[in-house]
Coordinates of all heavy atoms in Angstrom, one line a residue:
Chain A
E112 N 2.1 10.4 26.8 CA 1.5 11.2 27.9 C 1.7 12.7 27.6 O 2.2 13.0 26.6 CB 2.3 10.8 29.2 CG 2.1 9.4 29.6 CD 2.8 9.0 30.9 OE1 4.0 8.7 30.8 OE2 2.1 9.0 31.9
S113 N 1.2 13.5 28.5 CA 1.3 15.0 28.2 C 2.8 15.4 28.0 O 3.6 14.9 28.7 CB 0.6 15.8 29.3 OG 0.8 15.2 30.5
D246 N -18.4 11.5 27.3 CA -18.7 10.4 28.2 C -18.6 9.1 27.4 O -18.7 9.1 26.2 CB -20.1 10.6 28.7 CG -20.2 11.6 29.8 OD1 -19.4 11.5 30.8 OD2 -21.1 12.5 29.8
S248 N -20.5 6.5 26.9 CA -21.5 6.0 25.9 C -21.5 6.9 24.7 O -21.8 6.4 23.6 CB -22.9 6.0 26.6 OG -23.3 7.3 26.8
Q252 N -20.5 6.1 20.5 CA -21.3 6.6 19.3 C -20.3 7.3 18.3 O -20.4 7.1 17.1 CB -22.4 7.5 19.7 CG -23.5 6.9 20.6 CD -24.5 7.8 21.1 OE1 -24.3 9.0 21.0 NE2 -25.5 7.3 21.8
N255 N -17.8 4.9 16.6 CA -18.5 4.1 15.6 C -18.8 4.9 14.3 O -18.6 4.5 13.2 CB -19.8 3.6 16.1 CG -19.6 2.4 17.0 OD1 -18.6 1.7 17.0 ND2 -20.6 2.1 17.8
D259 N -17.4 4.2 10.5 CA -18.3 4.1 9.4 C -17.9 5.1 8.3 O -17.9 4.7 7.1 CB -19.8 4.5 9.8 CG -20.3 3.5 10.8 OD1 -19.8 2.4 10.9 OD2 -21.4 3.8 11.4
T276 N -7.2 2.3 25.4 CA -8.3 1.4 25.0 C -8.9 1.9 23.7 O -9.3 1.1 22.9 CB -9.3 1.4 26.1 OG1 -9.8 2.7 26.3 CG2 -8.8 0.9 27.4
E279 N -6.5 1.1 20.9 CA -6.5 -0.3 20.5 C -7.7 -0.6 19.7 O -7.7 -1.5 18.8 CB -6.5 -1.2 21.8 CG -6.5 -2.7 21.5 CD -6.4 -3.6 22.7 OE1 -6.6 -3.1 23.8 OE2 -6.1 -4.8 22.5
P319 N -5.6 1.3 33.7 CA -6.6 0.5 34.5 C -7.3 -0.5 33.7 O -7.6 -0.3 32.5 CB -7.6 1.6 34.9 CG -7.0 2.9 34.7 CD -6.0 2.7 33.6
K320 N -7.5 -1.7 34.2 CA -8.2 -2.8 33.5 C -9.6 -3.0 34.1 O -9.8 -2.9 35.3 CB -7.4 -4.1 33.7 CG -5.9 -4.0 33.6 CD -5.4 -4.5 32.2 CE -3.9 -4.3 32.0 NZ -3.4 -2.9 32.3
L321 N -10.5 -3.3 33.2 CA -11.9 -3.5 33.6 C -12.1 -4.7 34.5 O -13.0 -4.8 35.3 CB -12.8 -3.6 32.4 CG -13.4 -2.3 31.9 CD1 -14.5 -2.7 30.9 CD2 -14.1 -1.6 33.1
F324 N -10.0 -6.2 39.4 CA -10.6 -6.0 40.7 C -9.5 -6.1 41.8 O -8.9 -7.2 41.8 CB -11.7 -6.9 41.0 CG -12.8 -6.8 40.0 CD1 -13.1 -7.8 39.1 CD2 -13.6 -5.6 39.9 CE1 -14.1 -7.7 38.1 CE2 -14.6 -5.5 38.9 CZ -14.8 -6.5 38.1
R326 N -6.7 -5.1 42.0 CA -5.4 -5.4 41.5 C -4.4 -4.5 42.2 O -4.6 -3.3 42.3 CB -5.4 -5.0 40.0 CG -4.1 -5.5 39.2 CD -4.3 -5.3 37.7 NE -4.4 -3.9 37.3 CZ -3.5 -3.4 36.5 NH1 -2.6 -4.1 36.0 NH2 -3.6 -2.1 36.1
E327 N -3.3 -5.0 42.7 CA -2.3 -4.2 43.3 C -1.2 -4.1 42.4 O -0.4 -5.0 42.1 CB -1.8 -4.9 44.6 CG -2.9 -5.0 45.7 CD -3.3 -3.7 46.3 OE1 -2.5 -2.7 46.3 OE2 -4.4 -3.6 46.8
P331 N 4.1 2.9 38.6 CA 5.4 3.3 37.9 C 6.2 4.3 38.7 O 5.6 5.1 39.4 CB 4.9 3.8 36.5 CG 3.4 4.0 36.6 CD 2.9 3.2 37.8
G333 N 8.5 7.6 39.2 CA 8.9 8.9 38.6 C 7.9 9.5 37.7 O 6.8 9.0 37.6
E334 N 8.2 10.6 37.1 CA 7.4 11.3 36.2 C 8.1 11.7 35.0 O 9.3 11.6 34.9 CB 6.8 12.6 36.9 CG 6.0 12.3 38.1 CD 5.4 13.5 38.7 OE1 5.4 14.6 38.1 OE2 4.8 13.4 39.8
R350 N 13.6 6.4 34.7 CA 12.5 5.7 35.2 C 12.5 4.2 34.8 O 11.6 3.4 35.2 CB 11.2 6.3 34.6 CG 11.1 7.8 34.9 CD 9.9 8.4 34.1 NE 8.6 7.9 34.6 CZ 7.4 8.2 34.1 NH1 7.4 8.9 32.9 NH2 6.3 7.8 34.6
Chain B
E174 N -22.5 9.5 33.8 CA -22.1 10.5 32.8 C -22.2 11.9 33.3 O -22.8 12.1 34.4 CB -23.0 10.3 31.5 CG -22.8 8.9 30.9 CD -23.8 8.7 29.8 OE1 -23.6 9.4 28.7 OE2 -24.6 7.8 29.9
S175 N -21.7 12.9 32.6 CA -21.7 14.2 33.1 C -23.2 14.6 33.2 O -24.0 14.3 32.3 CB -21.0 15.2 32.1 OG -20.8 14.7 30.9
S288 N 4.9 19.5 39.7 CA 4.2 18.9 38.5 C 2.8 18.6 38.9 O 2.4 18.6 40.1 CB 4.9 17.7 38.0 OG 4.8 16.7 39.0
D318 N -1.8 12.0 33.8 CA -1.4 11.0 32.8 C -1.6 9.6 33.4 O -1.6 9.4 34.7 CB 0.0 11.1 32.4 CG 0.2 12.3 31.4 OD1 -0.6 12.3 30.5 OD2 1.1 13.1 31.6
S320 N 0.4 7.0 33.9 CA 1.4 6.5 34.9 C 1.2 7.2 36.2 O 1.3 6.6 37.3 CB 2.8 6.7 34.3 OG 3.1 8.0 34.1
Q322 N -1.6 8.6 37.2 CA -2.9 8.2 37.7 C -2.8 6.9 38.5 O -3.3 6.8 39.6 CB -3.9 7.9 36.5 CG -5.1 7.1 36.9 CD -6.1 7.0 35.8 OE1 -6.7 8.0 35.4 NE2 -6.3 5.8 35.3
Q324 N -0.2 5.9 40.1 CA 0.5 6.3 41.4 C -0.5 6.9 42.4 O -0.5 6.5 43.6 CB 1.6 7.3 41.1 CG 2.8 6.8 40.3 CD 3.7 7.9 39.9 OE1 3.5 9.1 40.1 NE2 4.8 7.6 39.2
K330 N -5.5 4.3 47.9 CA -5.9 3.0 48.4 C -5.1 2.6 49.7 O -5.7 2.2 50.7 CB -5.7 1.9 47.3 CG -6.8 1.7 46.4 CD -6.3 0.9 45.2 CE -6.4 -0.6 45.4 NZ -6.1 -1.3 44.1
R334 N -6.5 2.4 53.5 CA -6.4 1.1 54.2 C -5.7 1.3 55.5 O -6.2 0.7 56.6 CB -5.7 0.1 53.3 CG -5.8 -1.3 53.8 CD -4.9 -2.3 52.9 NE -5.1 -2.0 51.5 CZ -4.1 -2.0 50.6 NH1 -2.8 -2.3 51.1 NH2 -4.3 -1.8 49.4
G348 N -12.4 1.8 34.4 CA -11.2 1.1 34.7 C -10.7 1.4 36.1 O -10.3 0.6 36.9
A351 N -12.9 -0.2 38.6 CA -12.7 -1.7 38.8 C -11.5 -1.9 39.7 O -11.5 -2.8 40.5 CB -12.4 -2.3 37.4
E352 N -10.5 -1.1 39.6 CA -9.2 -1.3 40.3 C -9.2 -0.8 41.7 O -8.6 -1.3 42.6 CB -8.0 -0.8 39.6 CG -7.9 -1.5 38.2 CD -6.5 -1.5 37.7 OE1 -5.7 -0.7 38.2 OE2 -6.2 -2.2 36.8
T390 N -17.7 0.6 26.7 CA -16.3 0.9 26.9 C -15.5 0.1 25.9 O -15.8 -1.1 25.6 CB -15.8 0.5 28.3 OG1 -16.0 -0.9 28.5 CG2 -16.5 1.2 29.4
L392 N -12.8 -1.4 26.1 CA -12.2 -2.6 26.7 C -13.2 -3.8 26.5 O -12.8 -4.9 26.3 CB -11.9 -2.4 28.1 CG -10.6 -1.7 28.5 CD1 -10.5 -1.4 30.0 CD2 -9.4 -2.5 28.0
K395 N -13.6 -5.5 23.0 CA -12.3 -6.0 22.4 C -12.6 -6.9 21.2 O -13.4 -7.9 21.3 CB -11.5 -6.7 23.4 CG -10.0 -6.5 23.2 CD -9.2 -7.0 24.4 CE -8.3 -5.9 24.8 NZ -7.5 -6.2 26.0
R399 N -17.3 -2.8 15.7 CA -18.0 -1.6 16.2 C -18.2 -1.7 17.7 O -18.4 -2.8 18.2 CB -19.3 -1.4 15.5 CG -19.3 -1.1 14.1 CD -20.7 -1.2 13.5 NE -21.6 -0.3 14.2 CZ -21.8 1.0 13.8 NH1 -21.2 1.5 12.8 NH2 -22.6 1.7 14.5
L400 N -18.2 -0.6 18.4 CA -18.4 -0.6 19.8 C -19.9 -0.7 20.0 O -20.7 -0.2 19.2 CB -18.0 0.7 20.4 CG -16.5 1.0 20.4 CD1 -16.2 2.4 20.7 CD2 -15.8 0.1 21.3
Q402 N -23.2 0.5 21.4 CA -23.6 1.9 21.9 C -25.0 1.9 22.5 O -25.9 1.1 22.0 CB -23.4 2.9 20.8 CG -24.2 2.6 19.6 CD -23.9 3.6 18.5 OE1 -22.8 3.8 18.1 NE2 -25.0 4.3 18.0
I403 N -25.2 2.8 23.4 CA -26.6 3.0 23.9 C -27.2 4.0 23.0 O -26.6 5.1 22.8 CB -26.6 3.6 25.4 CG1 -25.6 2.8 26.3 CG2 -28.0 3.6 26.0 CD1 -25.5 3.3 27.7
G405 N -29.2 7.2 21.7 CA -29.6 8.5 22.3 C -28.6 9.0 23.3 O -27.5 8.6 23.4

Side-chain angles (χ1 to χ4, degrees):
Chain A
E112 299 181 277
S113 36
D246 283 310
S248 71
Q252 295 172 355
N255 282 341
D259 294 345
T276 60
E279 183 174 13
K320 315 259 180 304
L321 267 187
F324 302 113
R326 192 170 69 119
E327 295 291 335
E334 296 186 10
R350 303 172 72 187
Chain B
E174 297 177 64
S175 18
S288 67
D318 283 314
S320 63
Q322 165 172 293
Q324 295 170 353
K330 275 165 82 173
R334 192 182 317 139
E352 298 204 345
T390 59
L392 277 174
K395 214 169 229 183
R399 290 171 60 87
L400 297 167
Q402 58 182 57
I403 313 176

